[in-house]
Amino acid sequence: MEFGGFKHLVIEQDGAALVVTVNRPEALNALSQSVVREFERLVTQLEMAGTDAKWPIRGVIITGGGEKSFVAGADIAEMNAMSPDQALAYGQSMQDVTLRMERLPLPVIAAVNGFALGGGCELAMACDFIYASERASFGQPEVNLGLVPGFGGSVRLQQRVGVGMARELIFTGRRIKADEALRIGLANRLFGSVEEMLDAAKATIAEISEKSPTAIANAKSAMHSMIHLSVEEGLAEEARSFYQAFHTEDSVEGRTAFLEKRSPQWLGR
Ligand code: CAA
């Protein structure tokens, strides 16, 4: 699959990973409407790839171009010219991208190399998990603009760090450094340099690419759909997913290969 014609997203394949770099240096990679449209197009292409085991890409890494920023948020200059109705459409279009990212059959890792503020923090939280370099910082500073999060932050920050911490961060608009993001569970891992972080993200995707694509897609989908559920409902969802896994050829292959003491040959179905 070709990823041509993008202006603000630099898209490169590296082994099993598709590395997507948001590149709008003049605005610290803020998510203008045209960047949102490019994300819509990218997600559509990734959805089409499905779980085909022959497709070489088995995971996506999202990072920011330049030295300073992952993504500094929604584009404040563009928002300044929007009517409330236009702002609603803008917010909902990026919310839709974040939902579709969560539903992709592929894992998506945010590799946060600098400012992840407002819409940038929200983009990172729509990824499956977050790696951070030492220069990363996170925050939902919308209150400083008299606004509130609009790309999913009110929901996902509560899920990631708990109700109390999310409220404190959103009410104060405070920016936190990478070590605090690690401590509160927003970031999974912290790295001394951007290069180290990107290498680790690629290594994680290489590790995941050794597994059955259907099992990964199944695990991701089940975990996202059970996040709002009670323990009882979540267990029912897990049982459904476990049952469904037993219908896949990959699960037969995985068990058989284990018992035959050989590496599995995944089919992606
Ligand atoms: N939108 C548009 N332009 C932005 C931007 C944004 N979110 N963030 C930075 N820029 C622009 C600046 O205007 C500046 O442009 P000029 O050079 O033309 O003046 C350029 O990027 C560099 O920024 P600074 O000079 O401000 O750089 P700095 O290092 O001094 O500060 C910063 C960096 C702390 C990130 C600061 O730029 C900042 O506070 N940015 C805004 C962060 C923010 O509030 N994000 C949330 C936006 S609202 C939102 O995201 C709503 C939502 O949930 C949907």
Side-chain angles (χ1 to χ4, degrees):
M1 184 175 286
E2 292 293 314
F3 293 93
F6 289 87
K7 184 172 170 218
H8 301 301
L9 300 182
V10 179
I11 302 174
E12 295 158 321
Q13 190 187 336
D14 187 329
L18 192 73
V19 183
V20 178
T21 306
V22 184
N23 194 35
R24 251 195 101 210
E26 71 280 10
L28 299 181
N29 307 326
L31 299 173
S32 62
Q33 293 164 91
S34 62
V35 180
V36 172
R37 279 194 294 275
E38 291 196 7
F39 265 110
E40 283 169 346
R41 191 145 62 83
L42 172 70
V43 169
T44 302
Q45 285 188 259
L46 293 171
E47 284 166 347
M48 286 180 340
T51 58
D52 186 349
K54 294 195 194 77
W55 202 48
I57 293 161
R58 301 295 305 282
V60 180
I61 298 167
I62 298 181
T63 192
E67 301 288 303
K68 277 172 77 172
S69 187
F70 173 71
V71 165
D75 190 299
I76 301 170
E78 281 191 3
M79 284 195 299
N80 201 32
M82 286 179 192
S83 69
D85 284 348
Q86 288 167 328
L88 175 67
Y90 174 51
Q92 286 179 325
S93 63
M94 190 60 198
Q95 279 187 341
D96 186 54
V97 167
T98 63
L99 265 183
R100 290 168 66 196
M101 280 170 54
E102 287 184 338
R103 290 179 188 147
L104 284 176
L106 302 164
V108 184
I109 303 175
V112 176
N113 54 310
F115 299 118
L117 302 176
C121 189
E122 293 168 307
L123 174 65
M125 291 191 292
C127 298
D128 290 297
F129 45 87
I130 299 173
Y131 287 177
S133 81
E134 253 175 4
R135 282 211 317 268
S137 62
F138 298 80
Q140 296 288 157
E142 289 86 351
V143 290
N144 296 328
L145 304 166
L147 291 174
V148 296
F151 295 166
S154 335
V155 184
R156 294 195 179 97
L157 193 59
Q158 301 203 67
Q159 290 173 345
R160 295 262 173 178
V161 302
V163 175
M165 185 61 78
R167 288 183 189 166
E168 185 173 341
L169 289 175
I170 288 177
F171 296 171
T172 60
R174 186 184 301 147
R175 207 188 310 160
I176 59 169
K177 292 193 175 145
D179 56 348
E180 191 173 355
L182 182 70
R183 189 177 59 74
I184 65 175
L186 186 55
N188 277 17
R189 294 168 66 185
L190 174 55
F191 299 89
S193 72
V194 173
E195 293 69 31
E196 237 181 277
M197 170 179 66
L198 289 172
D199 284 348
K202 288 172 197 167
T204 298
I205 287 176
E207 190 181 345
I208 293 170
S209 75
E210 299 294 317
K211 321 297 175 196
S212 154
T214 46
I216 300 301
N218 199 349
K220 175 165 171 168
S221 153
M223 289 171 81
H224 276 294
S225 61
M226 69 182 60
I227 204 161
H228 308 286
L229 304 179
S230 66
V231 173
E232 288 80 1
E233 289 166 330
L235 292 179
E237 181 62 24
E238 187 184 74
R240 187 197 59 72
S241 160
F242 191 59
Y243 177 66
Q244 195 181 325
F246 272 75
H247 287 77
T248 65
E249 290 178 49
D250 274 357
S251 84
V252 177
E253 170 62 9
R255 282 171 285 147
T256 308
F258 176 82
L259 294 171
E260 292 176 354
K261 301 191 188 306
R262 61 172 174 80
S263 297
Q265 300 296 311
W266 303 119
L267 296 165
R269 51 181 188 265

